[in-house]
Amino acid sequence: MTTTYEIHAESVRTLRSEGLSFAKISARIGISATQARRIADRLIEETPASEPEAPAKEKKKPIRISKVHEVFADLPRGQVYRFILTSAQDDTPVHQPFLDNLIAYADHLGAQLGVGGFTYQLGLFEDHAVATGVYDAALSPYLDFDRVHLTEDLLWIGDANVLPTTANPLAGWTTANRGQHVIVPHARVALESIPRMQGQPPRYAISTGTVTRPSYTPRASGRKALFHHTYGALLLEIDVDGEIFPRHLLADDDGNFQDLCNLVRGGVVYSGPRLASITWGDIHHEQLNPAIARTSFGYDRSKKENVDVDNILDWLQPETQFAHDTGDFRRRNHHGIKDPHQRAMVRSAGSESVEEEVREAAHFINSISRPWCKTVMVESNHDAALAKWLKDFDGALDAHNAYYWHGLNAAWHEQIRDGNLGFNVVEYAMRKAGLSDDVDFVPSGGSYVVGDVECGLHGDLGVGGSRGTPQQYRRLGPKTSSGHTHTPKIVEGVYVAGVAANLDQGYNKGPTTWAHAHIIQYQSGKRTLLLMSADGRFKAMGDVEEFRMAA
């Protein structure tokens, strides 16, 4: 016999699932509300118990760090230390010829070779630590993943792990050592002068270049990074007094490189060829630093003549040398010509004669000229201040300089009358003051190319009449070696020299990035910045014989 439960169970199940009350179910299917309730209760009793839910899996957590371990080398002073530092990418083959050359040069110098790592294309939940990456076995003896204070002024950030596709590998690292030197392992080469207070010694943030082959994903960032991938290392010299001298060792595709007078090729150190060129830090002859002048050119600023001392020019013998901002034009510069106190300081310092200042600048260029070297004067903004002064009517009332002002303007107007629109009054004044005909003159905005590097731009002029900057020059087609900012810098193919003049020129108040530095270019086209200390040193001198500075 069929029971009430069997007849109505499915209907009650359905109607309860629709949310109907027992009274409405009773009216719908013709049973009492009590019967509907009993059927619903029995349905619940007969429903099999559900399987217990499995415990939720613990969510995987990304790798995190909470503190950075630092090592202090505690190198005692009184001796010279040398390190060659470079970088390597994990799971990437090494450039073996370059590594062989670095090892050979480290042995030649008595230097310690160190390789910092960086990882690439790891997922969020993978261990990104450089120390757990897998590197070419040839690098094993040299891998250094610590954050090491080599001196109290110098920090090697071996654990930086900056992505190789990062456009600016130094971004965020300039303050990692509280304003002191910072070295970051990376596949790009970059250098920045760290801001400091006036009177403090220059400090730099530098990336190294790499010893591993290119290995990038075929996306836009990877393709851009491939273009800037640089086989390179940083030679770091620490002198007996703790002064630090870094310079890059940049290799060609075969892994060969030159460092000053040394050429390293095929694992052997040879005597290298002459330099292709030197771009000197901005001269500003009126304020030329005496120590930098003696070491760079063998020139005595006080006597205004050459002296018999070892110097960079005669030691490295570049085929071409470039002088920027030869003149300072402090005596009638448009920035201070209306300033009575500035005018008083110029008078108290000596002559107010513009003609004499131009004559001294021409004499300086002649003094540093050598028969085996092409000397090039690059017209710069301080040189061109002469032309601005000649356009100022007040020059006609300048008792000290009116004769010179009128004479140069007369010559200029004569050239205009004769249709010579290419006349350059700065070159005319310099030649009239005795500048040798053997010296090439590059006018503002002109070009002078050495190898594949544009060396004729001072740095003050940008694209379309804008102000020039190193960041803007990155977008130019050729590589550039320039000056103007007084701040040494490397950004992609742009190298900027520092200054050969005094770091304190009166008007530059407050924090500064100025520093003494020159750009040297090898026959291979590779370049490096020659960073100098206040006493004129450009390398560790405590244990070398081939170059001695005069006291």
Side-chain angles (χ1 to χ4, degrees):
M1 184 177 72
T2 305
T3 65
T4 302
Y5 175 79
E6 293 173 328
I7 295 171
H8 298 294
E10 193 59 36
S11 297
V12 171
R13 186 197 306 276
T14 301
L15 294 174
R16 284 297 289 171
S17 68
E18 293 176 359
L20 272 65
S21 67
F22 292 118
K24 289 184 178 180
I25 293 173
S26 171
R28 179 78 65 89
I29 63 177
I31 60 175
S32 68
T34 300
Q35 288 176 310
R37 184 186 298 277
R38 288 174 179 171
I39 292 171
D41 290 343
R42 185 174 174 183
L43 286 171
I44 293 173
E45 291 175 359
E46 294 182 355
T47 300
S50 59
E51 294 291 331
E53 292 186 7
K57 290 184 178 180
E58 185 177 352
K59 186 177 180 181
K60 198 170 184 180
K61 297 180 180 179
I63 305 297
R64 296 288 187 261
I65 61 173
S66 58
K67 71 179 295 187
V68 174
H69 178 64
E70 296 186 347
V71 177
F72 292 83
D74 295 325
L75 300 175
R77 292 194 178 186
Q79 68 181 87
V80 173
Y81 300 92
R82 291 184 175 87
F83 300 87
I84 295 178
L85 304 174
T86 186
S87 68
Q89 182 176 323
D90 67 328
D91 293 320
T92 305
V94 72
H95 189 316
Q96 193 63 52
F98 181 38
L99 177 60
D100 291 343
N101 284 331
L102 289 178
I103 295 171
Y105 201 46
D107 290 342
H108 177 78
L109 296 177
Q112 180 177 329
L113 178 60
V115 181
F118 52 85
T119 59
Y120 185 47
Q121 290 303 110
L122 295 182
L124 178 63
F125 303 106
E126 295 180 78
D127 183 353
H128 291 256
V130 292
T132 57
V134 178
Y135 297 89
D136 192 299
L139 297 172
S140 296
Y142 313 106
L143 293 172
D144 185 353
F145 304 130
D146 290 322
R147 185 170 295 201
V148 183
H149 289 272
L150 292 171
T151 74
E152 60 185 13
D153 302 323
L154 174 63
L155 177 64
W156 159 248
I157 310 182
D159 65 343
N161 200 11
V162 181
L163 279 173
T165 53
T166 301
N168 180 7
L170 301 178
W173 294 107
T174 56
T175 57
N177 196 24
R178 294 177 173 82
Q180 302 301 309
H181 297 293
V182 174
I183 312 298
V184 177
H186 196 263
R188 292 192 187 206
V189 166
L191 182 146
E192 293 183 16
S193 177
I194 300 173
R196 64 191 192 280
M197 296 304 294
Q198 285 280 1
Q200 295 178 342
R203 294 292 183 258
Y204 303 100
I206 314 174
S207 65
T208 58
T210 188
V211 74
T212 48
R213 301 278 185 178
S215 178
Y216 300 96
T217 56
R219 293 194 291 267
S221 59
R223 296 181 189 278
K224 294 175 185 176
L226 180 62
F227 182 77
H228 297 290
H229 187 94
T230 303
Y231 296 127
L234 186 72
L235 172 59
L236 192 65
E237 298 186 310
I238 304 173
D239 214 341
V240 291
D241 61 349
E243 190 71 59
I244 295 164
F245 300 95
R247 60 181 181 272
H248 282 105
L249 310 173
L250 303 186
D252 59 23
D253 290 340
D254 296 325
N256 305 320
F257 62 86
Q258 187 169 344
D259 176 42
L260 303 179
C261 289
N262 294 323
L263 175 66
V264 190
R265 182 176 59 208
V268 179
V269 181
Y270 301 92
S271 178
R274 292 173 55 191
L275 301 186
S277 70
I278 289 184
T279 297
W280 302 112
D282 289 3
I283 304 298
H284 297 274
H285 180 262
E286 190 88 339
Q287 300 195 80
L288 185 58
N289 182 275
I292 302 302
R294 289 174 71 89
T295 304
S296 300
F297 327 107
Y299 180 80
D300 189 305
R301 174 65 184 88
S302 61
K303 297 179 180 178
K304 299 183 176 63
E305 62 183 31
N306 291 336
V307 289
D308 185 17
V309 296
D310 288 345
N311 62 85
I312 295 169
L313 175 60
D314 291 307
W315 184 46
L316 296 180
Q317 296 198 345
E319 294 179 352
T320 309
Q321 61 174 332
F322 295 90
H324 291 253
D325 269 333
T326 304
D328 185 59
F329 209 71
R330 174 171 297 262
R331 300 181 188 185
R332 287 298 182 267
N333 192 284
H334 57 281
H335 290 299
I337 200 167
K338 302 292 186 182
D339 185 336
H341 303 104
Q342 176 65 29
R343 293 285 293 271
M345 284 190 287
V346 168
R347 175 174 292 184
S348 66
S351 174
E352 292 186 72
S353 170
V354 172
E355 183 177 16
E356 182 180 326
E357 184 176 0
V358 172
R359 188 185 307 116
E360 289 179 358
H363 173 72
F364 167 77
I365 292 292
N366 292 341
S367 296
I368 69 170
S369 295
R370 303 290 191 269
W372 37 261
C373 176
K374 171 56 69 176
T375 301
V376 182
M377 176 181 172
V378 178
E379 183 182 8
S380 309
N381 56 308
H382 279 257
D383 303 317
L386 173 68
K388 287 188 177 182
W389 175 65
L390 293 174
K391 293 176 182 291
D392 186 350
F393 295 138
D394 287 346
L397 305 177
D398 185 343
H400 291 281
N401 296 293
Y403 175 83
Y404 190 57
W405 185 90
H406 282 291
L408 291 181
N409 266 312
W412 199 347
H413 280 284
E414 183 178 1
Q415 294 296 319
I416 293 172
R417 184 188 62 188
D418 293 344
N420 182 10
L421 301 182
F423 174 74
N424 185 290
V425 73
V426 175
E427 180 179 12
Y428 172 83
M430 290 291 289
R431 300 288 186 198
K432 193 170 185 293
L435 181 67
S436 171
D437 292 337
D438 293 334
V439 174
D440 285 354
F441 182 91
V442 179
S444 295
S447 174
Y448 200 110
V449 177
V450 176
D452 62 349
V453 180
E454 175 58 69
C455 299
L457 292 172
H458 173 56
D460 56 325
L461 301 179
V463 178
S466 63
R467 296 183 65 180
T469 66
Q471 295 298 326
Q472 187 184 84
Y473 280 13
R474 293 169 60 192
R475 301 195 294 271
L476 292 178
K479 303 171 186 176
T480 61
S481 290
S482 61
H484 182 57
T485 66
H486 298 181
T487 299
K489 189 177 185 69
I490 301 173
V491 52
E492 296 179 0
V494 177
Y495 279 59
V496 183
V499 62
N502 295 321
L503 298 182
D504 183 358
Q505 298 190 11
Y507 66 88
N508 54 317
K509 305 292 185 182
T512 183
T513 54
W514 290 14
H516 301 304
H518 311 310
I519 305 169
I520 61 178
Q521 181 175 333
Y522 300 109
Q523 298 292 343
S524 64
K526 304 301 180 182
R527 293 168 290 170
T528 192
L529 280 169
L530 214 55
L531 305 170
M532 305 184 72
S533 61
D535 60 6
R537 280 176 292 169
F538 61 95
K539 59 178 296 185
M541 299 290 186
D543 64 347
V544 297
E545 297 295 337
E546 71 271 22
F547 188 102
R548 289 292 183 186
M549 295 188 307

